[in-house]
Amino acid sequence: MTSWDTHENVHVLDSGLALVTGPASNWVVVGTGDSWLLVDGGYPGDVDRVMASARAAGVRGFPEAVLLTHAHVDHVGAARRLAAHGVPVWCAAAELGNATGEKPSQIAPETAYAKAAASPLWGAWVHHAVEAGGLDAQRLRPTQLRPFAARAGEVLDLPGHPVVIPSTGHTPGHTSFRVGPVLVGGDAVVTAHPTSPVEGRAQLLDAAFQDDCEATTQAARRLCEVQAEVLAPGHGPALEMSAVREGLRSAHVPVDL
C-alpha cells in the first residue's frame, strides 16, 4: 500500500460528517467538538490514523460511542482500543457473535491465501491485512458492547441521530445508516477494494467475503431505495447515489433507477 496522509483522506460530506478513506478500509466521523460518534474503526494497525483523522475533522477527545456497521477485523480496530477506555461500542444484536468471536463470520485465512497465490491484487491485500493486524484474534467483550435490534427506520440516540437500515448479507448483522443526506453503507456496497481492479464505481465485494451472497444483493437493492444524496462506503471513495445505482446496474445487480 502507498503512504497515507491524514488531511488528504478526510473528506467532509456534510456539516459535521467526514468520511475518512483509510489505507484499506474506511471510517466515518460524525459530530463536532466534544460530542461525536465514530462509525467503524479500521484495522488494529489504523488506531493512530483514526484518532489523527478525527482531530483533523474537528472533534476532540474520545467519541461518545463507536457504531459498527459490522465486526470484521478491518472495521473494529479502533473500537477495541476505545472500548478499553470505556467508550461503548454499538452494533446490531445479530452481529454480537461476530464482535465477540463466539460465532465469527469472516473470510478464512486459507481462502485468502489461496486467492493470494493466484492473484497479485489479492496477494498485496493479504500482505497489508497481515501487517495491519488482520490476524489479531483479540475480540470485543460482551460488557463493552451495546446491541440494538436494528429495526428499519429506528433512530439511534447517538450524535448525528443515525437512522438504521438493515443490510445483512456481508455478515449476519451488517447494518447501514443514514445520517442526514449521507448513507453510511459499510461493506454492503463499496466503491473500491484492494482485491478489485475497479475503483470509484459501485460494486459488491467478492463472494469470498460474503456470508450470504443473495442477501447481500438484496441489501444493495434496499440501499438504492434510501433517500440519500451520497454513499460513504466501507471501502473506496464517496459516490453520489445516482452513480451508485448506475454502477450497480452496470455490474448486473438488479436495482431500480
Side-chain angles (χ1 to χ4, degrees), residues 80-98:
R80 297 189 319 203
R81 177 76 64 85
L82 290 166
H85 290 279
V87 176
V89 179
W90 291 46
C91 70
E95 194 69 6
L96 282 174
N98 207 13

Side-chain angles (χ1 to χ4, degrees), residues 58-77:
V59 297
R60 299 183 296 270
F62 289 153
E64 292 185 17
V66 179
L67 177 61
L68 298 178
T69 61
H70 63 298
H72 279 170
V73 68
D74 56 334
H75 292 260
V76 301

Side-chain angles (χ1 to χ4, degrees), residues 108-137:
E110 57 268 25
T111 300
Y113 293 144
K115 284 184 167 287
S119 164
L121 287 175
W122 276 82
W125 171 73
V126 167
H127 176 77
H128 175 83
V130 171
E131 290 292 310
L135 296 180
D136 186 344

